[in-house]
Amino acid sequence: MGLSWQQGPLSTGAIGHFLTPEPLPERLLFAEPLRRRVRVRFNGTWIADSEHVLLLHEPGRYPVAYFPREDVDEQALVASEKVTHHKDLGDTRLVRGARG
């Protein structure tokens, strides 16, 4: 079960509830460190290798893995010119593969 899909605790269709006396915020993000090594292969080349990946769960979205910058090959990705604003995390910029 995903935390933010179907009946998961962060989904809009949750049927359970958190057992806390304080009301929860309307949107609740959940971040957890993965306890395993994650490697990314793109276009036949290893571009990321880390044991310090953070997985972010947010309502209505698939989880997203965040890698420490130092664990990603700097030559593998190109930052997009487009900057968007994430309602909880602030300004973000997408990256794309440089070799694809």
Side-chain angles (χ1 to χ4, degrees):
M1 170 184 79
L3 293 175
S4 57
W5 286 98
Q6 297 175 354
Q7 295 177 349
L10 299 180
S11 74
T12 55
I15 58 173
H17 59 277
F18 289 94
L19 303 176
T20 176
E22 293 83 27
L24 293 174
E26 185 178 315
R27 284 181 45 84
L28 184 64
L29 303 185
F30 181 78
E32 63 179 326
L34 289 180
R35 294 175 298 198
R36 62 181 64 93
R37 177 183 183 189
V38 179
R39 297 176 75 200
V40 177
R41 188 175 174 132
F42 177 74
N43 203 22
T45 303
W46 293 105
I47 63 168
D49 186 352
S50 182
E51 293 182 359
H52 305 285
V53 174
L54 188 69
L55 193 62
L56 177 68
H57 303 265
E58 62 180 298
R61 306 189 102 186
Y62 287 112
V64 175
Y66 287 87
F67 287 75
R69 189 176 287 256
E70 61 270 13
D71 292 346
V72 178
D73 178 2
E74 291 181 20
Q75 304 301 313
L77 303 173
V78 176
S80 167
E81 295 297 321
K82 182 178 180 183
V83 175
T84 59
H85 186 77
H86 186 281
K87 107 189 293 187
D88 302 298
L89 304 176
D91 290 343
T92 60
R93 183 183 307 260
L94 296 176
V95 294
R96 63 176 175 80
R99 298 185 188 116

